[in-house]
């Protein structure tokens, strides 16, 4: 049977949103690392990375589509609700200034999670 669709199917809204979230996080995190004088480099931001993350790469952010539910579908339109995951990976030396590495890593993780949340919920990004 020959193909009946004779036009390229464009990127779907969830693909555009996922990529936009990744770009926003990459740009804003780079700025936050400068504004807050954080040590080291800003996190690398990936979109839909499935390869294992090595500790030497940290800090790392991975933006992934988690779930999409459609309603009100017809042959020309569909409305949907999509959830995205923003996974944050950190590491720390075994002992940093008297703080155990696991504790230092979690503190860094929570800091990054808070910054990511603040970026994504900023009113200027209400319409991606």
């Amino acid at each position: 049977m020959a193909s009946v669709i004779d036009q390229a199917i464009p990127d779907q809204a969830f693909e555009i949103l996922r990529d936009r979230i990744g770009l926003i996080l990459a740009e804003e995190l780079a700025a936050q690392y400068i504004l807050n004088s954080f040590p080291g480099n800003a996190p690398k931001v990936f979109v839909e990375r499935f390869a294992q993350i090595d500790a030497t790469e940290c800090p790392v952010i991975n933006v992934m589509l988690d779930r999409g539910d459609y309603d009100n579908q017809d042959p020309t339109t569909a409305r949907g609700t999509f959830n995205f995951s923003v996974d944050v990976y950190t590491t720390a030396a075994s002992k940093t200034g008297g703080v155990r590495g696991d504790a230092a890593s979690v503190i860094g993780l929570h800091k990054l999670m808070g910054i990511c949340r603040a970026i994504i919920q900023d009113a200027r990004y209400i319409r991606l």
Side-chain angles (χ1 to χ4, degrees), residues 90-109:
T90 59
T91 189
S94 12
K95 193 103 167 162
T96 307
V99 178
R100 291 190 340 248
D102 59 339
S105 180
V106 169
I107 290 167
L109 170 76

Side-chain angles (χ1 to χ4, degrees), residues 51-94:
Q52 184 173 346
I53 293 170
D54 186 89
T56 60
E57 297 177 276
C58 289
V60 169
I61 309 281
N62 191 20
V63 179
M64 300 177 74
L65 175 65
D66 184 43
R67 178 187 175 127
D69 295 312
Y70 287 98
D71 59 17
N72 296 329
Q73 294 185 72
D74 64 44
T76 59
T77 61
R79 289 179 46 142
T81 302
F82 301 95
N83 294 329
F84 298 91
S85 294
V86 177
D87 297 329
V88 180
Y89 301 85
T90 59
T91 189
S94 12

